[in-house]
Amino acid sequence: MTCLAADPAHGQEGEPAHEDALERMTVTATALGTHAEDLPIPVSVMDGDELVLKSGTGSLGEVLAGEPGITGSYFGPVSSRPIIRGQAGPRVRILQDRIGALDVSAISPDHAVSIEPLFARRIEILRGPATLLYGGGAEGGVVNTVTNRVPVYDPLGLIEGAVELRTDSASGEEAGLAMLEGRVGSFNWHVEGVSRETDDVEINGPAERPGLHEDEEHAGEEEEVPEGIIPNSDSDSWSYSTGVAWTGDAGHLGVGYTRYRSRYGLPGESHGHEGEEGAEPEPEIFDGARIFMDQERWDFKSEWRPSSGAIEALRLDAGISDYTHREVEPSGETGTVFDDESTEARFEALHSLGEWNGVAGLQYLSREFSAVGEEAYLPLVETTKWGAFLLEERHFGKLTFSAGARLEQMEHDPASAAPAYDDTAFSGSAGFVRPFGGAVVSLNLNYTERHPAPEELYSEGPHLATGLYEIGDAGLGREKNRSVDLGIRGGEAWSWSVNLFYKDAGDYIYLAGTGEIEDELPVAEYRQADATFYGYEVEARVPLWHLEGGHELHALLWSDMTRGTLDGVSGNRNIPRMPVQRLAAGLEWATVAWSAAVEAVYHDDQQHTADFESETSAYTLVNADFVYSLDFGRARTLLFVRGKNLLDVDGRRSVSFLKDSAPIPGRSLEAGVRVGF
């Protein structure tokens, strides 16, 4: 619901831009630098004022939760990971400048993504398989956060920067950002920092779903159910980064360093453990279990562009991360420590051979993950991944054809009696894009294979964040997915798009309840079965009124739906925690200086639940926003106000493990100011 777009390289806000301008933007996550309108899979870009407006949460999942085809896992407002077309966890790759987030957010829904949205210059979302470039972990889609932490994008002047302050009434958020970057000779430099603090989130009514304990043994007992807030949902985080890069006509070479620290509560019941033996107590006593997260990360980027020949560019990028988080009990003692040391590197050769343009590359990942303490339901696992890929593109008149393949070797070596996993996966795709009159039709065919993740293979024990006793299966094999994505989009007087998708998933890995109890927790097992997914995303932007001077009124309409079922199993065939169908309608009034919008999004009820999973009721979210900009030379001041959940509804996400104990935030008013110069 925003009108102003940012320059993709520099993040500078510009003149009013419509949706068709966004679609012409180059998408860096494709490696070839392909324009969004030429891609055979649905792609959307969030940047400029829209990104500023929606970055009022430290969670990447919540920033994107209102995009068609995307929702957030919502383990409270801080820990929410994007879910694309019902695919979650290891099936969605979260990238920072095309290198993985290098955290443990895919392992458990209570683990936050270690990417601060306020640092983002642009967020690119690829719906559907992107396994050719990023491996089986991208089988559901890719979210790429574009930053300038390694400052390879030249500043517009010798020095530029931005300062931002924002607050939110429902969470009590107080957040601030400061950024400076510039150029000295052939060298760019960059520094930035963010601080963010929130209180317990305010809601309308009790945190627990009414009737939650009716079937339990203590149903007749008096229980104190918190009302008006989500207990233990507060947070305190800060992050800073600095980088330097040489840039020139022949390419660039740079390095960046980032430190990220976050302290946040885990909504729901506290863990209740006595803590790890020998652990030193913290100086505070907390209302519930908390996570203390720390990450240090180094990023390296390089590119060489030869002056002639078939090779257009050679790129070598890498990220090195040292990640730790402690799960601290209410007593202040550390219950479990999660450590993750990861290195990821990508080499790409962009080339042009006659009529063909393409990229060939290698990808490497080394990871050592360990969990020690009361909730160590996973052993130490060393993971090594090698991938080789090739993607080619050619124009045949008006038709754009692309095809590619990837081989990926994965090894998981656990420090337990369980057997190691060592296998090779193959993926291939073919895509077609062609204009027909005023519309563009795209078709993408995929065969993808995904290796099982360590948690799916080796889990064994109580996972108190999900409230389950999880059991992995070291005998799990590769998933084998066949999918088709059909899209049509167009618009001159008005813009619209329709995307239909279908996936036949062989040996799909899922977490299923068994009905048994272990350590006072329900038992859930990782299993494999064939599955079917299908759905759609529909969007339209219709002009209603246009006046001289840039005054425009538009209607905004969109809807999405994903359905997933298991094949060849007896009894309940529903896949757990699937998103609901959504219908949205809104109005947007825009001028050169300001824009205002209102949107209503209907979330259907979810009755297609798996065994031992609760249903969710329908609700309607109403949001509104106002953005005003003031320009003084190169300096630009942006004032914004956003009202969220204006009807103060009790909404619960069908995809969330906390759907019964943590509804979405209640009515809130968010306001802020951003000054760029």
Side-chain angles (χ1 to χ4, degrees):
M1 295 196 303
T2 305
C3 314
L4 301 179
D7 182 278
H10 304 289
Q12 300 296 319
E13 294 83 355
E15 296 299 319
H18 299 305
E19 192 167 309
D20 56 348
L22 288 179
E23 290 182 349
R24 289 194 296 272
M25 184 174 293
T26 298
V27 180
T28 64
T30 64
L32 289 174
T34 307
H35 288 199
E37 62 185 359
D38 296 326
L39 290 169
I41 61 174
V43 176
S44 57
V45 174
M46 182 182 292
D47 67 351
D49 294 354
E50 181 184 18
L51 182 56
V52 172
L53 194 67
K54 294 182 178 180
S55 295
T57 169
S59 164
L60 194 61
E62 292 309 287
V63 172
L64 303 177
E67 295 294 299
I70 307 173
T71 186
S73 58
Y74 197 72
F75 203 94
V78 175
S79 182
S80 183
R81 203 172 191 273
I83 295 175
I84 301 178
R85 294 177 170 178
Q87 306 303 305
R91 293 185 178 90
V92 174
R93 281 224 69 189
I94 307 298
L95 308 176
Q96 176 186 292
D97 297 317
R98 303 196 311 119
I99 294 292
L102 304 181
D103 56 26
V104 298
S105 62
I107 291 177
S108 176
D110 63 319
H111 301 167
V113 177
S114 61
I115 294 177
E116 169 55 66
L118 286 176
F119 282 158
R121 301 294 183 93
R122 183 169 80 244
I123 300 177
E124 303 167 341
I125 307 106
L126 282 66
R127 299 171 181 83
T131 56
L132 296 186
L133 294 176
Y134 300 107
E139 190 277 323
V142 163
V143 176
N144 180 44
T145 301
V146 179
T147 75
N148 202 28
R149 291 177 174 182
V150 181
V152 297
Y153 300 127
D154 295 333
L156 297 178
L158 292 178
I159 187 171
E160 61 185 56
V163 177
E164 180 177 331
L165 297 173
R166 63 196 310 147
T167 185
D168 177 78
S169 62
S171 64
E173 178 189 50
E174 296 178 356
L177 170 144
M179 183 274 289
L180 279 175
E181 59 188 17
R183 185 172 179 85
V184 179
S186 297
F187 289 89
N188 298 339
W189 58 270
H190 173 93
V191 293
E192 62 186 347
V194 165
S195 176
R196 189 193 298 266
E197 185 175 350
T198 68
D199 297 327
D200 287 340
V201 175
E202 296 180 357
I203 56 176
N204 177 20
E208 290 187 354
R209 174 177 58 82
L212 178 61
H213 297 294
E214 285 182 357
D215 297 329
E216 299 183 6
E217 294 180 0
H218 56 277
E221 302 176 8
E222 291 289 334
E223 284 200 0
E224 183 178 348
V225 178
E227 293 213 21
I229 62 168
I230 302 177
N232 202 38
S233 59
D234 61 308
S235 68
D236 181 7
S237 66
W238 54 258
S239 181
Y240 66 85
S241 70
T242 182
V244 62
W246 172 87
T247 64
D249 293 338
H252 59 250
L253 177 66
V255 60
Y257 171 80
T258 302
R259 175 74 189 279
Y260 180 77
R261 194 203 77 159
S262 181
R263 311 288 187 254
Y264 61 93
L266 297 177
E269 298 181 7
S270 63
H271 287 201
H273 285 310
E274 295 300 323
E276 182 184 357
E277 185 177 352
E280 293 294 328
E282 299 293 327
E284 300 180 68
I285 302 299
F286 304 108
D287 294 332
R290 305 184 69 77
I291 283 183
F292 285 22
M293 175 197 296
D294 291 273
Q295 184 187 47
E296 288 187 279
R297 172 172 172 147
W298 290 89
D299 285 281
F300 305 87
K301 296 180 73 67
S302 63
E303 178 175 298
W304 176 55
R305 296 185 291 269
S307 58
S308 62
I311 300 298
E312 296 182 345
L314 297 176
R315 296 172 181 164
L316 178 61
D317 298 342
I320 301 174
S321 169
D322 185 359
Y323 172 100
T324 299
H325 87 236
R326 295 182 294 134
E327 300 194 349
V328 178
E329 304 301 333
S331 64
E333 296 181 331
T334 298
T336 309
V337 178
F338 289 81
D339 279 312
D340 186 275
E341 295 183 4
S342 296
T343 299
E344 182 175 340
R346 296 180 60 84
F347 171 76
E348 296 174 344
L350 280 71
H351 55 267
S352 179
L353 301 173
E355 299 294 326
W356 292 89
N357 296 312
V359 56
L362 298 172
Q363 181 181 4
Y364 169 76
L365 173 68
S366 173
R367 179 185 186 193
E368 183 177 295
F369 167 83
S370 67
V372 179
E374 290 288 340
E375 199 179 328
Y377 62 98
L378 274 171
L380 185 149
V381 181
E382 294 183 359
T383 296
T384 303
K385 178 175 73 173
W386 285 95
F389 55 88
L390 176 67
L391 180 64
E392 298 292 328
E393 181 181 271
R394 181 176 175 178
H395 296 279
F396 295 90
K398 294 183 178 181
L399 175 70
T400 301
F401 171 72
S402 61
R406 179 186 179 99
L407 281 176
E408 181 175 277
Q409 195 276 335
M410 179 83 80
E411 181 178 351
H412 298 302
D413 188 8
S416 68
Y421 175 90
D422 189 352
D423 202 356
T424 302
F426 170 79
S427 298
S429 74
F432 308 84
V433 180
R434 191 186 190 285
F436 286 94
V440 177
V441 177
S442 60
L443 176 68
N444 199 44
L445 306 174
N446 280 274
Y447 173 78
T448 63
E449 296 183 346
R450 184 182 79 89
H451 297 288
E455 61 270 21
E456 297 167 333
L457 294 167
Y458 305 122
S459 292
E460 181 66 46
H463 187 183
L464 298 172
T466 61
L468 300 171
Y469 189 98
E470 295 185 10
I471 300 176
D473 182 354
L476 296 176
R478 289 169 285 130
E479 291 182 353
K480 305 173 185 66
N481 304 292
R482 292 161 292 274
S483 63
V484 57
D485 200 299
L486 176 64
I488 179 170
R489 58 183 179 270
E492 294 181 358
W494 58 288
S495 57
W496 53 274
S497 66
V498 177
N499 293 296
L500 308 174
F501 63 91
Y502 176 87
K503 180 169 74 171
D504 179 15
D507 295 327
Y508 183 80
I509 301 173
Y510 65 103
L511 186 62
T514 66
E516 301 176 355
I517 300 295
E518 184 76 24
D519 285 357
E520 300 182 352
L521 292 173
V523 175
E525 297 177 343
Y526 283 99
R527 298 174 179 172
Q528 280 189 300
D530 294 343
T532 300
F533 296 87
Y534 59 89
Y536 69 84
E537 295 120 15
V538 178
E539 297 181 77
R541 189 173 189 270
V542 184
L544 301 178
W545 195 21
H546 177 79
L547 294 176
E548 295 296 330
H551 294 264
E552 296 181 350
L553 179 66
H554 290 83
L556 307 174
L557 306 167
W558 64 267
S559 177
D560 63 2
M561 185 273 289
T562 299
R563 182 84 169 93
T565 58
L566 298 170
D567 303 327
V569 299
S570 59
N572 191 333
R573 298 172 53 219
N574 294 319
I575 294 175
R577 289 170 296 282
M578 293 297 294
V580 299
Q581 185 178 32
R582 298 182 295 185
L583 304 170
L587 292 173
E588 177 186 80
W589 182 280
T591 71
V592 173
W594 58 267
S595 68
V598 61
E599 180 184 55
V601 185
Y602 171 77
H603 297 68
D604 200 3
D605 58 5
Q606 181 58 282
Q607 300 181 9
H608 302 294
T609 55
D611 291 332
F612 316 109
E613 180 188 5
S614 58
E615 299 179 353
T616 55
S617 300
Y619 61 94
T620 300
L621 281 182
V622 176
N623 304 315
D625 58 61
F626 177 82
V627 179
Y628 184 76
S629 64
L630 298 169
D631 294 307
F632 302 97
R634 287 190 60 238
R636 181 172 186 260
T637 299
L638 189 73
L639 305 173
F640 55 92
V641 179
R642 192 180 193 205
K644 297 181 289 187
N645 192 7
L646 295 178
L647 300 182
D648 205 18
V649 299
D650 177 19
R652 298 175 186 268
R653 295 254 180 93
S654 61
V655 297
S656 173
F657 277 95
L658 292 187
K659 68 179 79 174
D660 293 331
S661 56
I664 61 173
R667 182 187 297 118
S668 68
L669 183 66
E670 184 178 10
V673 56
R674 182 183 179 95
V675 180
F677 55 90

